[in-house]
Amino acid sequence: MRFLRKVLLLLAALALVASACGSDESDAESSDSSTDSADTAETGGDDGVAADDGGEADSLKITFLPKNLGNPYFDTSDAGGARAIEEFGGEFTEVGPDAATPDAQVPFINTATQQGVDALVVSANDPNAICDALNLARDAGIAVVTFDSDTDPACRDLFINQATSEGIARVQVDLIAEQIGGAGQIAVLSASANATNQNAWIELMEAELEANYPDIELVDIVYGDDDDQTSFDRTAALLQTYPDLKGIVSPTTVGVSAAARYLSTSESKGEVALTGLGTPNQMREYVEDGTVTAFALWNPGDLGYLAAYAAKALAEGSITGAEGDTFTAGELGEYTVGSGGTVLLGDPFVFDADNIGDFDF
Ligand code: RAM
């Protein structure tokens, strides 16, 4: 099997070289914040891959690829992944682009494929742009897990979903409705225009508004690209363009914290409500100063932790990603693969002034 794997890796590497020739992608901008596992990775030979019989791996090499680096949400989720990988004695690496653009992740996937890692854990910036690269990785025997933001399901083995999309949409709509008294104009400040997760949530938010809140009008959806300054500027522009705006929903931790920072020193503080998906540490000061009353999220650390254990189970061959497969995710316990190759972490959680002090992430 090792020979077969090496042949597959070689073929994949050749295919990558061929595809790189026709692409303007470059590794020049690559960032790698690996926990420096390279030494151990090499001294153990190139088959940290587990036995095909599902036995324990000596040292599984698992690479986390977030939407972008420098985003505290992914710092927390990837730290959860690193903790899990340390628990089971694998090697954690984190790589990623600076900007959350559709195909910025492709060179990182290709590099991981050439390196012959055992598993890739990816939050996709685009449902299709990274598909071919992911499938090349899979052809080379690498387990591909998406978490947080999925690709086309045909390009991965499992998606680790933070909460149901319906639940994430509903909690944000209910929060903004409550905060603006059930009527008036609202806008959405999203992440990047192609983000699979935000787009799924926005579509369901629109349906939820239509079904249950006829007096709320969604006047605009703008994109801050999960970039702090862009999100800050988009917030300013929204307030200027829509003087009657009652509220903003930002389903991204980068967007909601940048919008809160803008609002907190503007005339609109307390006049324009803001909610969405945020981390307690980024939102704390805005809850304390009254800019924001409540927002939602899940535990990103648990999400990364669960994704790492799912990657381990796939790489070891103890699951294939089929519906009904079960695996144990360390201290989080047992999980079952649901339909469409997804594993659900749990329910979204609402943070407010009463409970935010209990959280530190
Ligand atoms: C940002 C990213 C991420 C999303 C969170 C809520 O950090 O867009 O994908 O899940 O917000």
Side-chain angles (χ1 to χ4, degrees), residues 67 71 73-74 123 148-149 162 191 197-198 201 226 251-254 277 297-298:
K67 283 180 170 177
N71 175 346
Y73 172 87
F74 289 113
S123 171
D148 175 68
S149 182
Q162 45 271 58
N197 53 344
Q198 271 87 14
W201 303 331
D226 267 351
T252 143
T253 58
V254 179
L277 303 175
L297 199 69
W298 43 90

Side-chain angles (χ1 to χ4, degrees), residues 171-194:
V171 72
Q172 294 177 87
V173 169
D174 288 349
L175 283 171
I176 198 70
E178 193 184 327
Q179 292 167 15
I180 66 171
Q185 295 184 344
I186 63 166
V188 167
L189 167 66
S190 191
S192 59
N194 292 354

Side-chain angles (χ1 to χ4, degrees), residues 63-65 74 105 109 119-127 130-131 134 138 143-162 196 303-304 306-308 310-311 314 340-344:
T63 297
F64 270 62
L65 175 51
F74 289 113
Q105 293 169 308
I109 297 167
L120 260 170
V121 181
V122 184
S123 171
N125 281 314
D126 184 285
I130 63 173
C131 252
L134 289 179
R138 295 168 79 203
V144 172
V145 174
T146 51
F147 78 119
D148 175 68
S149 182
D150 202 6
T151 58
D152 179 331
C155 319
R156 48 73 173 162
D157 297 306
L158 272 184
F159 171 51
I160 313 303
N161 196 0
Q162 45 271 58
T196 328
L303 186 68
L306 174 57
L314 282 169
T342 62
V343 177
L344 188 63

Side-chain angles (χ1 to χ4, degrees), residues 60-145:
L60 288 176
K61 287 174 267 196
I62 300 181
T63 297
F64 270 62
L65 175 51
K67 283 180 170 177
N68 55 350
L69 296 180
N71 175 346
Y73 172 87
F74 289 113
D75 291 346
T76 304
S77 60
D78 294 6
R83 193 164 67 81
I85 292 165
E86 194 182 344
E87 271 174 19
F88 58 75
E91 294 159 22
F92 167 86
T93 302
E94 184 196 49
V95 295
D98 293 330
T101 51
D103 55 8
Q105 293 169 308
V106 169
F108 297 94
I109 297 167
N110 290 345
T111 300
T113 302
Q114 282 161 340
Q115 290 167 340
V117 303
D118 296 295
L120 260 170
V121 181
V122 184
S123 171
N125 281 314
D126 184 285
N128 302 308
I130 63 173
C131 252
D132 290 349
L134 289 179
N135 275 334
L136 276 174
R138 295 168 79 203
D139 289 348
I142 296 172
V144 172
V145 174

